[in-house]
């Protein structure tokens, strides 16, 4: 048996295992799957048509509303869990978003909860929560998209602390979702599971690396799920599926026993946070994990913090920074329109004002370069080694991470130097903030994120210049949907005025998407960040903003 046939057989075994966990009555025939895939922009409606009205009312609801119905005994845990399991199964067969299925276990748990209902329901009692693949759950794999890590189910002792907390809060774990192999890509593809498509518009990528989460939640297959972010991996899928996605400050949400690439990397660390359809649900979830669970008592990397999930009122003399450009990449018209909408709303509100956020372009460029440098510090040895273990071929989306120029991994001294540069850059941004008059220092800053979606295979035609810097700075960032692309209103970008080769690439790709019409109606995503590490504040401001939009 050849190495190639061995890895391909292992892929088929893993995919068969996944498929067999979908009940026969929920499996779609090939004709239906093709019809749903061909209707690129109407997956939500088409899935609705395959579900009962009662199930649609559940899956189109919110966590807070479902809790009210559970408390009033108008719904059971089993009814809620069954609705989400069914819908997730249907969505997966079209967009390929699940890596592990736990429907049987979830329904058993829901039935148990109904039969042993406590007088006072825990905060997430009976609510199904989805998890990015890297969260460890007893009895199933955590493959990170690597074939070499399949068929190695986790034990109870290996279960992630965040999963323990979810169980304590009464949540029901029902699926884990796809990631790109290694999770170090903004697209979601692996030899093990294949390609994950965008559930809002199947012409495009779901984003990455929490692409399975974004796609599942985008089509109402889950109300809220956990993703991680070391370079946009929560914010990108959230932007692409019109969701709210929070990249917290490091140490807010526990990462203990969550599997990861580059484990032990303390410089520009990965963080874990929620993606959700509804902002109030996201805030409620964060208050449960932080205020109720107090993760700093068990995870030494977490710090005490109080998350305010109920207040929408902002203090007087509120200042909002608006970041229009780093003078490296010109923004597409849809982003400019969304930023101006926010700026106008703020300036029309008594007691608030918008100011330009204009950190030195040199600093923004340095932050971007540092992030890229950190990601390839081992020259791709970890990723290369994982692929070698199974014999599976390296994916094109990972080639930027796996250097083939013979450059050796960083020495300890080089890594120390990089760490020092990170600290210096962080301090430089703080110095910029402090250089502003006190009345001009923003409470929050609104910024672009992804600029535009990309088709499968086109990951490198987009830019991360508005994303990576906030990982280096450790600023909390909330991805928010602000309208949709209107091809006629937004129009083409002027390629002849491009600032550089990268800007020309981005403008050219935007024009291609506009001329094709594929991008019509696609979500426009912005992000709200805190320059002073206040996760609660950016969510509170977003709640205020969305009462106005």
């Amino acid at each position: 048996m050849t190495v190639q046939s061995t890895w391909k057989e292992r892929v088929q075994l893993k995919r068969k295992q996944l498929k067999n966990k979908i009940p026969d009555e929920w499996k779609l025939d090939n004709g239906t799957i093709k019809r749903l895939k061909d209707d690129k922009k109407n997956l939500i409606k088409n899935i609705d048509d395959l579900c009962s009205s009662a199930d649609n009312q559940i899956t189109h609801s919110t966590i807070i509303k479902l809790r009210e119905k559970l408390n009033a005994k108008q719904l059971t845990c089993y009814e809620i869990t069954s609705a989400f399991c069914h819908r997730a199964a249907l969505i997966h067969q079209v967009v390929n978003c699940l890596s592990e299925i736990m429907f049987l276990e979830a329904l058993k748990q829901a039935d148990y909860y109904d039969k042993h209902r406590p007088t006072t329901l825990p905060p997430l009692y009976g609510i199904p929560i989805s998890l990015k693949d890297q969260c460890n759950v007893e009895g199933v794999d955590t493959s990170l998209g690597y074939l070499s890590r399949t068929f190695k189910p986790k034990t109870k002792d290996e279960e992630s602390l965040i999963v323990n907390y979810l169980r304590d809060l009464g949540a029901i774990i029902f699926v884990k979702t796809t990631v790109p192999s290694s999770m170090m890509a903004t697209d979601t593809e692996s030899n093990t599971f294949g390609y994950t498509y965008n559930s809002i518009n199947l012409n495009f990528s779901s984003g990455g690396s929490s692409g399975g989460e974004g796609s599942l939640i985008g089509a109402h297959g889950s109300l809220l799920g956990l993703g991680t972010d070391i370079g946009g991996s929560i914010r990108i899928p959230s932007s692409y599926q019109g969701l709210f996605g929070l990249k917290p400050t490091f140490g807010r949400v526990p990462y203990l026993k969550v599997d990861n690439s580059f484990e032990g990397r303390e410089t520009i660390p990965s963080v874990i946070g929620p993606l959700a359809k509804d902002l109030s649900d996201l805030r409620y979830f964060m208050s449960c994990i932080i205020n109720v669970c107090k993760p700093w008592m068990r995870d030494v990397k977490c710090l005490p913090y109080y998350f305010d999930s109920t207040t929408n009122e902002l203090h007087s003399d509120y200042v909002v920074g608006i970041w229009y450009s780093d003078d490296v990449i010109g923004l597409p018209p849809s982003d400019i329109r969304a930023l101006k909408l926010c700026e106008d709303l703020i300036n029309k509100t008594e007691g608030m004002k918008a100011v330009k956020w204009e950190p030195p372009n040199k600093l923004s460029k340095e932050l971007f370069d540092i992030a890229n440098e950190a990601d390839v510090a081992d020259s791709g040895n970890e990723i290369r080694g994982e692929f070698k273990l199974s014999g599976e071929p390296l994916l094109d989306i990972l080639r930027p991470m796996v250097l083939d120029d013979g450059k050796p991994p960083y020495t300890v001294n080089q890594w120390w130097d990089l760490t020092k540069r990170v600290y210096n850059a962080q301090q430089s941004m703080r110095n910029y903030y402090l250089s502003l008059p006190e009345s001009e220092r923003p409470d929050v800053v609104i910024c672009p994120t992804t600029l535009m979606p990309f088709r499968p295979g086109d990951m490198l035609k987009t830019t991360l210049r508005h994303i990576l810097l906030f990982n280096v700075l450790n600023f909390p960032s909330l991805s928010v949907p602000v309208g949709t692309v209107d091809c006629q209103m937004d129009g083409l970008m002027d390629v002849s005025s491009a600032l550089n080769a990268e800007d020309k690439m981005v403008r050219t790709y935007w024009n291609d998407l506009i001329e094709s019409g594929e991008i019509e109606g696609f979500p426009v995503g912005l992000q709200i960040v805190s320059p002073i590490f206040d996760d609660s504040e950016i969510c509170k401001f977003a709640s205020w903003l969305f009462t106005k939009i």
Side-chain angles (χ1 to χ4, degrees):
M1 185 180 292
T2 66
V3 172
Q4 185 180 48
S5 64
T6 302
W7 78 259
K8 286 186 175 180
E9 287 172 4
R10 193 178 178 98
V11 166
Q12 292 308 311
L13 286 172
K14 183 60 185 177
R15 293 186 184 185
K16 183 178 180 181
Q17 180 196 61
L18 191 64
K19 186 175 181 180
N20 286 345
K21 291 185 178 180
I22 299 176
D24 288 341
E25 61 269 26
W26 291 352
K27 289 177 180 175
L28 302 174
D29 60 73
N30 291 335
T32 301
I33 292 174
K34 183 180 185 304
R35 175 175 63 83
L36 297 184
K37 286 184 175 180
D38 288 345
D39 193 3
K40 305 289 188 184
K41 297 184 180 182
N42 292 299
L43 181 62
I44 293 174
K45 177 184 179 301
N46 290 332
I47 296 293
D48 285 351
D49 292 342
L50 296 174
C51 299
S52 69
S53 174
D55 278 4
N56 286 334
Q57 287 180 21
I58 291 170
T59 56
H60 286 260
S61 188
T62 68
I63 291 175
I64 292 172
K65 290 177 182 177
L66 290 180
R67 273 190 53 77
E68 291 173 355
K69 292 190 175 183
L70 278 168
N71 274 312
K73 298 185 178 180
Q74 295 172 350
L75 282 174
T76 65
C77 299
Y78 193 93
E79 288 170 331
I80 293 170
T81 302
S82 178
F84 279 105
C85 288
H86 180 209
R87 192 174 184 96
L90 299 178
I91 295 166
H92 169 68
Q93 292 172 76
V94 181
V95 300
N96 193 35
C97 59
L98 303 183
S99 61
E100 299 293 337
I101 288 173
M102 295 161 276
F103 297 156
L104 182 61
E105 297 87 344
L107 291 168
K108 284 183 178 179
Q109 186 69 60
D111 184 56
Y112 179 86
Y113 279 175
D114 286 330
K115 290 177 179 176
H116 301 83
R117 177 188 169 106
T119 304
T120 301
L121 301 187
L124 294 175
Y125 197 78
I127 302 297
I129 299 292
S130 50
L131 304 172
K132 187 176 183 177
D133 182 79
Q134 67 189 106
C135 293
N136 292 337
V137 177
E138 180 186 5
V140 297
D141 295 340
T142 297
S143 66
L144 309 186
Y146 287 128
L147 192 57
S148 61
R149 300 194 185 194
T150 56
F151 301 106
K152 298 176 181 177
K154 296 296 183 178
T155 66
K156 185 174 181 61
D157 286 343
E158 292 174 310
E159 196 162 82
S160 303
L161 177 59
I162 188 74
V163 176
N164 294 164
Y165 282 154
L166 289 173
R167 296 193 194 281
D168 292 344
L169 293 165
I172 292 177
I173 310 301
F174 73 119
V175 292
K176 296 213 297 178
T177 53
T178 50
V179 299
S181 303
S182 80
M183 301 180 299
M184 297 304 292
T186 59
D187 204 353
T188 297
E189 180 183 15
S190 67
N191 292 314
T192 306
F193 299 108
Y195 195 85
T196 299
Y197 289 88
N198 187 298
S199 61
I200 301 298
N201 186 330
L202 276 80
N203 289 301
F204 297 115
S205 165
S206 62
S209 62
S210 311
E213 275 302 317
S215 192
L216 178 68
I217 299 170
H220 296 273
S222 174
L223 292 179
L224 183 145
L226 283 172
T228 60
D229 196 314
I230 197 173
S233 293
I234 289 172
R235 291 163 290 157
I236 295 167
S238 296
S239 173
Y240 284 169
Q241 264 92 193
L243 307 175
F244 297 94
L246 177 64
K247 179 201 85 66
T249 305
F250 179 74
R252 296 282 188 254
V253 181
Y255 217 111
L256 185 62
K257 296 185 182 180
V258 173
D259 280 11
N260 202 8
S261 292
F262 309 153
E263 287 191 10
R265 171 173 150 176
E266 298 288 329
T267 299
I268 319 176
S270 177
V271 294
I272 187 166
L275 300 81
K277 272 282 188 184
D278 182 82
L279 180 56
S280 294
D281 283 352
L282 184 149
R283 295 178 69 189
Y284 176 70
F285 175 86
M286 287 293 290
S287 72
C288 291
I289 295 297
I290 295 177
N291 303 346
V292 177
C293 297
K294 296 178 171 55
W296 54 87
M297 297 299 295
R298 293 183 61 186
D299 185 342
V300 297
K301 292 187 177 179
C302 288
L303 297 174
Y305 182 75
Y306 177 77
F307 192 94
D308 181 358
S309 66
T310 58
T311 306
N312 291 345
E313 186 177 344
L314 305 176
H315 65 74
S316 59
D317 300 322
Y318 204 86
V319 181
V320 180
I322 309 287
W323 188 33
Y324 275 103
S325 175
D326 61 356
D327 286 337
V328 176
I329 301 294
L331 298 187
S334 56
D335 275 47
I336 294 172
R337 178 164 54 85
L339 286 167
K340 285 184 175 178
L341 170 65
C342 295
E343 185 176 14
D344 289 345
L345 284 171
I346 292 159
N347 284 330
K348 289 176 182 177
T349 302
E350 186 178 354
M352 298 183 71
K353 69 175 177 180
V355 298
K356 293 291 190 294
W357 175 259
E358 297 175 322
N361 293 331
K362 183 180 178 181
L363 176 57
S364 297
K365 183 180 184 302
E366 182 183 9
L367 289 162
F368 177 75
D369 291 343
I370 285 173
N372 283 304
E373 190 177 335
D375 286 347
V376 296
D378 83 330
S379 298
N381 282 351
E382 180 180 303
I383 295 173
R384 190 185 293 110
E386 289 282 357
F387 276 84
K388 187 176 180 180
L389 285 173
S390 65
E392 61 176 313
L394 184 68
L395 297 164
D396 286 343
I397 59 171
L398 295 177
R399 294 195 182 280
M401 296 294 302
V402 180
L403 305 184
D404 57 6
D405 57 4
K407 184 178 179 181
Y410 271 26
T411 65
V412 170
N413 296 92
Q414 287 174 316
W415 186 252
W416 287 347
D417 178 68
L418 179 66
T419 302
K420 181 181 178 182
R421 287 162 51 207
V422 168
Y423 178 53
N424 290 341
Q426 292 170 336
Q427 191 60 52
S428 293
M429 186 61 80
R430 176 54 58 90
N431 292 343
Y432 164 70
Y433 173 82
L434 294 174
S435 72
L436 301 172
E438 195 165 345
S439 62
E440 302 286 310
R441 293 174 190 166
D443 295 281
V444 298
V445 181
I446 307 177
C447 323
T449 48
T450 52
L451 307 191
M452 66 196 73
F454 61 88
R455 305 182 185 102
D458 288 350
M459 183 184 79
L460 297 181
K461 294 183 180 179
T462 56
T463 182
L464 298 176
R465 286 195 177 271
H466 302 92
I467 292 173
L468 294 181
L469 79 164
F470 296 121
N471 293 92
V472 182
L473 293 168
N474 191 30
F475 287 179
S477 171
L478 178 70
S479 180
V480 296
V482 185
T484 59
V485 174
D486 183 318
C487 290
Q488 185 173 357
M489 182 186 302
D490 294 322
L492 301 175
M493 298 181 73
D494 182 6
V495 177
S496 67
S497 63
L499 303 171
N500 49 63
E502 184 182 1
D503 191 30
K504 181 178 180 181
M505 174 192 72
V506 169
R507 292 172 187 242
T508 301
Y509 196 63
W510 167 265
N511 289 350
D512 181 21
L513 296 177
I514 289 290
E515 289 172 339
S516 73
E518 293 171 347
I519 199 175
E520 177 71 29
F522 197 82
V524 176
L526 300 178
Q527 60 185 326
I528 302 169
V529 305
S530 167
I532 52 173
F533 312 112
D534 196 340
D535 305 55
S536 183
E537 188 65 34
I538 57 176
C539 294
K540 181 167 66 173
F541 170 76
S543 292
W544 173 87
L545 182 65
F546 279 84
T547 63
K548 306 295 182 182
I549 292 179

